[in-house]
Amino acid sequence: MVKAVKYERNDTDAKVILLDQRALPSRVIFVKCLGAQDTATAIKEMVVRGAPAIGIAAAYALAAEAWHELQRGSSALELLSHLTRAGEVLIRARPTAVNLAWAVKRVLQSALTCPEGSSAKDVAYRMEREAKAIDEEDLRMNRAMADFGAKLLPDQGGVLTHCNAGALATGGYGTALGVIRRAYEIGKRFKVYADETRPLMQGARLTAWELMQDGIPVVLITDSSAAYLMQLGRIQCAIVGADRIAANGDVANKIGTYAIAVSCRAHGIPFYVAAPSSTVDLNTSSGREIVVEERSATEITTFGDVRIAPEGIEVFNPAFDITPARYVTAIITDKGIVGPPFDHGLRQILGMHDTVDAEE
Ligand code: MRU
């Protein structure tokens, strides 16, 4: 299975190794990051992307940074203050996906809760263990949500997905694509329709690539064809990932997701969101509070190296949009499936896990 983020440490070096997703599918190349600054740059430039994957990359970046501080002879206190600043650099890299700040805070918290008198080495190793735990847990969460969600997908027909919520965007297996993969493993035989996902083409470049490698039938469509395919009766449900889910169930995800949700409602088609509990942000009460990242104009005015819009054109390029909870049929999480009213269900999965009704 493809691994978007890896961590390597030996006696002389510690580094984060990122599969360069900008080069896919034509080239499989890797970028090495030694610490927080270069990992933050890689996150901004989308060498690594997808909410869980950027969290994992940031967690490993802190582990690598801690190891380098250790080599410089820093005390535990110096290491902690350096790592707190490094965490801020990482969190600033992209604002919308909550997993990034969540992972950084979790690794820092593991260091802060080291027993009194711990050495710098104890602190650094603890951070490294926490980063690895975040990575491994993400894969486990994806498998769990896939088991819950697979039964919601149709036996035949078409399933629409947007952007890339696959192994590339996570610790492995994927969220929305994990559910699709599991559905295939249990014998369902629908066709996946992958939106190309303007402007950076995560659907065309990444989702199509992942599904073709697995032998799952995938049809590439332009973003603007989705509603028409629904009208033709070729799509039985849509399933997407999420960058942040507010306490009321509003969902931030790749730009274009909202249009899909509205089209699903207009055609009476279920619209599912698959996301680990680390993407649920109970501190954000609704989607209105979510900061939507705006990216550079050149992502829209150029295609590859070719200019496709007039010089001087004004551009608005939000990377994400907010789908109001009322358009979401169900949120598939690692703890179970949550239906409306989402505020109640989401609180339950984060607080009282064992009382969630995992059935449809
Ligand atoms: O800008 P990107 O490629 O990082 O956007 C990714 C998405 O919107 C994904 O759908 C989301 O992060 C969920 S990935 C499991």
Side-chain angles (χ1 to χ4, degrees):
M1 185 173 56
V2 59
K3 195 82 181 129
V5 184
K6 285 188 234 169
Y7 174 76
E8 277 179 17
R9 175 176 59 77
N10 54 33
D11 291 343
T12 57
D13 206 8
K15 53 185 175 286
V16 187
I17 299 171
L18 302 172
L19 173 57
D20 189 344
Q21 300 194 29
R22 299 166 305 179
L24 288 172
S26 33
R27 284 177 308 148
V28 178
I29 51 176
F30 295 88
V31 170
K32 285 180 196 159
C33 300
L34 296 179
Q37 194 58 64
D38 51 358
T39 305
T41 304
I43 291 171
K44 264 188 210 141
E45 293 178 356
M46 297 180 64
V47 173
V48 60
R49 33 67 51 202
I54 62 177
I56 294 164
Y60 280 140
L62 289 179
E65 195 78 44
W67 191 86
H68 289 294
E69 278 305 294
L70 201 58
Q71 302 308 302
R72 284 184 203 116
S74 297
S75 69
L77 216 62
E78 287 166 338
L79 193 142
L80 272 173
S81 95
H82 176 83
L83 269 287
T84 305
R85 285 195 303 277
E88 285 160 10
V89 170
L90 286 159
I91 289 174
R92 275 198 301 272
R94 292 191 80 187
T96 305
V98 69
N99 307 62
L100 179 56
W102 171 86
V104 166
K105 285 178 192 156
R106 187 168 147 182
V107 173
L108 291 177
Q109 191 58 25
S110 76
L112 289 169
T113 51
C114 272
E116 227 179 293
S118 296
S119 67
K121 189 172 174 180
D122 294 336
V123 175
Y125 280 26
R126 190 151 171 166
M127 292 173 92
E128 185 182 279
R129 277 199 303 276
E130 195 66 18
K132 284 186 180 157
I134 289 173
D135 188 6
E136 287 161 12
E137 274 170 30
D138 190 65
L139 178 58
R140 281 201 297 276
M141 289 195 285
N142 289 342
R143 295 238 182 234
M145 99 179 70
D147 283 335
F148 287 124
K151 59 177 173 281
L152 296 179
L153 300 194
D155 291 325
Q156 299 198 325
V159 172
L160 175 68
T161 191
H162 189 61
C163 194
N164 172 266
L168 290 165
T170 63
Y173 203 62
T175 59
L177 284 199
V179 174
I180 287 171
R181 286 194 161 100
R182 186 77 194 118
Y184 248 76
E185 284 161 13
I186 62 173
K188 301 205 173 190
R189 288 296 172 261
F190 50 81
K191 196 177 262 186
V192 179
Y193 288 93
D195 273 354
E196 58 183 359
T197 317
R198 282 279 296 154
L200 295 182
M201 315 302 276
Q202 291 92 329
R205 296 186 303 103
L206 309 177
T207 296
W209 184 72
E210 276 198 39
L211 291 176
M212 285 179 77
Q213 284 195 335
D214 278 10
I216 297 176
V218 52
V219 180
L220 180 62
I221 60 169
T222 58
D223 299 349
S224 41
S225 331
Y228 178 54
L229 262 82
M230 291 180 198
Q231 193 183 54
L232 293 179
R234 286 169 68 170
I235 289 172
Q236 276 55 55
C237 78
I239 182 164
V240 298
D243 286 84
R244 190 183 295 243
I245 300 177
N248 70 344
D250 290 352
V251 174
N253 192 49
K254 179 53 54 192
I255 188 75
T257 302
Y258 174 43
I260 292 172
V262 170
S263 300
C264 280
R265 174 59 54 86
H267 293 88
I269 294 169
F271 174 81
Y272 299 121
V273 176
S277 35
S278 52
T279 301
V280 179
D281 179 12
L282 293 182
N283 293 321
T284 297
S285 60
S286 83
R288 278 193 303 277
E289 290 169 29
I290 298 176
V291 177
V292 171
E293 176 187 4
E294 279 181 44
R295 294 188 60 88
S296 102
T298 53
E299 289 183 354
I300 296 188
T301 56
T302 58
F303 200 83
D305 292 335
V306 181
R307 176 111 203 155
I308 54 169
E311 294 288 347
I313 184 75
E314 185 181 334
V315 167
F316 177 50
N317 182 21
F320 303 97
D321 60 25
I322 310 292
T323 299
R326 66 179 178 282
Y327 292 107
V328 178
T329 308
I331 299 175
I332 302 159
T333 78
D334 50 298
K335 315 279 189 202
I337 296 168
V338 181
F342 293 108
D343 47 358
H344 174 70
L346 292 173
R347 261 173 222 293
Q348 262 196 325
I349 61 154
L350 292 189
M352 298 171 285
H353 305 159
D354 46 354
T355 60
V356 170
D357 178 7
E359 294 305 313
E360 194 173 343

